[in-house]
Amino acid sequence: MAATLTKLLEESATRWPSRVALGDSSGDRALTYRHLGDLAGDAAAQLRRNGIADGAPVAIVSDTCVEYAVALFAVLAAGGCAAPLNPGLAAPQLIARLADVRARAVVVPRHLHDDFAGAHAGVELPVWQLAVTPGRGSRLSAAPVPVSGQGAARPGGPDPDLSDAAILMLTSGTTAAPKVVPLTHANLLASIDGIRGSYRLTPEDATLLVMPLFHGHGLLAGLLSTLASGGAAFMPAGGQFHAGRFWPEMAVARATWYTAVPTIHQILLARAGSEYPSKGYPELRFVRSCSAPLAPAVQRDLESAFSAPVVQAYGMTETTHQAASNPLPGDGPDKTASVGVPTGAQIQVTRPDGKPAGDGETGELWIRGATVTAGYLGNPQATAESFSAGWFHTGDLGRTDADGYLFLTGRIKEIINRGGEKISPAAVDEVLQSNPGVEDALSFPVPDSKYGEDIQAAVVLRRGRAVSEAELKGYCGSRLSAFEVPKRIFFLDHLPRTEKGTGDRRQLAALLGANRTP
């Protein structure tokens, strides 16, 4: 295993100098591993001349594009620490996140620079725009151009080691305000190794980067694991997933796999009848799903529609993305409802008294190992609440079977207490999503004068389907306990999502409240 992420890229450039590392959906702009290494080195020298060294945090405010990858490796090669941020953040949010990660500078790809400068004029930091454009012959050049602020030039420090923070990631904030997670080179390399091994990634593989790179799912599973394996990672047009362009872009990439959240899988599945290409498309080796539970019914439909195995994985920002995954066919049993077995980390189902639970017994998941961060940046209280004796207390509930396969059952902070009866919203979501007329579903808590809390839900129906609230309640009643059946079910055109694409229960509860009619 490489000593740092910078060394990882150097080793890949040495092993596969002429293979395509990065491409875009047009097929006109491709970077070989040698080009990517040269570009990152060129940009790193310019960043060092502008004062980036000694672990200085540099925010990368970018969509999914070639410039993002160049900026990431350039910041690391310069001796800095990269902090990927969502370019869609409003100005107050962005300024708050820049303060959270203690950014010393910002890098923005040139195609986003004008919008960034106009919307975020209050950013009082050096800002560089990065452009990757065709240069002389087949060479490409990267040129960060100072547009505001001044960096104090100083020489670069010593090469980082495994224990140094390389990337600062923000948690998704589904149950609390986002926290900053410092991921070391050791954390990142261990996670990459686990992902690469889980799916047997090789130089013959290619993927379309569906998930945003400012979260661990897209960054670790999509980009970095591909670059570690010698494969090719392709950028979507417009810098983000678009359902109508997905299959043509997959064909350009000749993608052998992709990874996404269940929401995206469901969108693609709903459009498969008219958009999935029947001819001329390379066979998918597998499809990966992570970051939220995938309903078994949806998984079976995906496998049927795309003629490929669908493997679920589990992880969190604090575990450097992947902590567990189902194996590929032939590598282990096929357990559709499971998120698999640990991949480089130890996972313990823990009773309330802190002792390990037995097989089949539900408890909180504790995780420790090489992929687990030591704590949150600048937040000792949150660190003390979530970490102890090397264990990360995930807040997720689950159980294991006799084969060591992990089954998620919900989150502690999301559990709804209805007059003493405990309800897992995730379990209710799964039942609703299994209804043939439902494309997507999300349940949420509401205050109740009698029970303290109760459960409601919202659904998005499949095109051309008509299902009433009474029918859905009856469907739930045949599969859930009476107290778990949503008190009300709303019908929406779409459900609110976090930046990562997972269902946002807090926002849904705020939108619908307790006074709306179905």
Side-chain angles (χ1 to χ4, degrees):
M1 187 167 66
T4 63
L5 279 182
T6 303
K7 294 296 183 184
L8 182 150
L9 179 59
E10 291 175 0
E11 290 178 8
S12 292
T14 299
R15 294 181 66 185
W16 307 291
S18 299
R19 293 194 70 93
V20 171
L22 302 174
D24 65 17
S25 59
S26 69
D28 297 332
R29 189 165 74 150
L31 271 64
T32 65
Y33 278 89
R34 180 187 289 122
H35 282 154
L36 177 57
D38 289 348
L39 288 164
D42 178 41
Q46 297 177 68
L47 292 172
R48 279 194 295 268
R49 289 196 295 271
N50 283 279
I52 300 305
D54 301 335
V58 177
I60 302 173
V61 183
S62 175
D63 54 8
T64 303
C65 60
V66 167
E67 283 81 2
Y68 173 98
V70 173
L72 175 70
F73 285 104
V75 169
L76 297 176
C81 180
L85 297 179
N86 181 357
L89 291 173
Q93 294 173 310
L94 178 69
I95 291 170
R97 299 293 180 270
L98 291 171
D100 289 341
V101 300
R102 304 172 181 177
R104 298 267 295 279
V106 180
V107 175
V108 181
R110 179 166 288 172
H111 64 272
L112 294 182
H113 171 259
D114 289 348
D115 288 342
F116 177 90
H120 307 297
V123 174
E124 297 179 356
L125 291 169
V127 178
W128 294 286
Q129 54 178 316
L130 177 67
V132 175
T133 55
R136 181 176 299 175
S138 61
R139 289 282 301 194
L140 299 170
S141 60
V145 182
V147 293
S148 67
Q150 294 293 325
R154 54 180 175 167
D159 290 337
D161 61 34
L162 282 169
S163 63
D164 289 335
I167 296 177
L168 302 177
M169 300 295 291
L170 288 159
T171 60
S172 59
T174 53
T175 58
K179 296 180 282 289
V180 181
V181 180
L183 300 175
T184 66
H185 289 274
N187 294 148
L188 292 156
L189 292 170
S191 180
I192 291 166
D193 195 52
I195 295 167
R196 182 173 52 176
S198 296
Y199 311 115
R200 302 197 299 268
L201 298 178
T202 74
E204 303 306 315
D205 285 304
T207 190
L208 178 69
L209 298 177
V210 175
M211 297 299 296
L213 300 178
F214 47 81
H215 281 300
H217 187 159
L219 177 59
L220 271 296
L223 178 64
L224 295 180
S225 295
T226 295
L227 296 180
S229 66
F234 280 73
M235 310 293 176
Q240 60 185 350
F241 166 76
H242 186 284
R245 297 191 295 257
F246 178 79
W247 290 113
E249 290 178 349
M250 289 281 282
V252 169
R254 298 195 64 78
T256 57
W257 69 287
Y258 77 92
T259 182
V261 292
T263 303
I264 289 177
H265 294 310
Q266 289 168 288
I267 291 170
L268 294 173
L269 185 59
R271 303 165 67 108
S274 59
E275 294 184 0
Y276 181 66
S278 58
K279 295 181 180 179
Y281 182 75
E283 182 179 352
L284 285 174
R285 195 160 65 80
F286 68 96
V287 173
R288 180 179 183 271
S289 186
C290 194
S291 300
L294 180 69
V298 176
Q299 179 170 339
R300 289 190 292 268
D301 289 346
L302 280 170
E303 290 178 334
S304 175
F306 301 155
S307 301
V310 175
V311 290
Q312 280 207 73
Y314 165 69
M316 303 180 75
T317 308
E318 292 89 341
T319 65
T320 318
H321 187 52
Q322 184 170 293
S325 177
N326 268 292
L328 292 173
D331 291 350
D334 178 15
K335 302 195 178 188
T336 301
S338 170
V339 293
V341 295
T343 57
Q346 180 184 355
I347 301 178
Q348 175 180 288
V349 180
T350 311
R351 296 171 178 165
D353 62 6
K355 296 180 180 179
D359 290 340
E361 186 178 357
T362 297
E364 183 183 9
L365 306 184
W366 291 9
I367 305 178
R368 68 180 176 187
T371 64
V372 179
T373 185
Y376 300 112
L377 178 68
N379 197 335
Q381 180 178 345
T383 298
E385 292 171 352
S386 298
F387 296 84
S388 66
W391 289 102
F392 168 54
H393 302 193
T394 67
D396 287 329
L397 294 170
R399 56 182 173 82
T400 55
D401 65 9
D403 296 323
Y405 278 65
L406 178 63
F407 296 79
L408 301 180
T409 58
R411 281 190 61 77
I412 292 174
K413 292 181 180 179
E414 289 184 346
I415 293 297
I416 297 169
N417 187 346
R418 184 183 184 274
E421 299 280 10
K422 304 301 193 296
I423 305 172
S424 168
V428 178
D429 296 347
E430 182 177 318
V431 169
L432 285 167
Q433 289 168 353
S434 70
N435 185 286
V438 173
E439 180 179 308
D440 205 359
L442 193 64
S443 53
F444 58 95
V446 293
D448 186 270
S449 59
K450 182 177 181 180
Y451 297 107
E453 278 188 312
D454 209 334
I455 184 167
Q456 296 184 4
V459 299
V460 177
L461 296 181
R462 295 183 186 274
R463 281 187 291 182
R465 296 294 185 97
V467 186
S468 70
E469 182 186 15
E471 289 172 326
L472 286 178
K473 285 186 175 182
Y475 184 84
C476 290
S478 66
R479 292 160 174 80
L480 297 168
S481 299
F483 66 85
E484 295 177 296
V485 176
K487 183 178 180 180
R488 297 166 71 177
I489 299 176
F490 300 87
F491 297 85
L492 302 179
D493 293 330
H494 63 274
L495 299 176
R497 299 285 165 187
T498 65
E499 293 176 358
K500 190 167 59 176
T502 57
D504 193 329
R505 299 188 201 280
R506 290 195 299 169
Q507 186 180 351
L508 186 61
L511 287 171
L512 298 179
N515 299 313
R516 286 275 302 274
T517 56

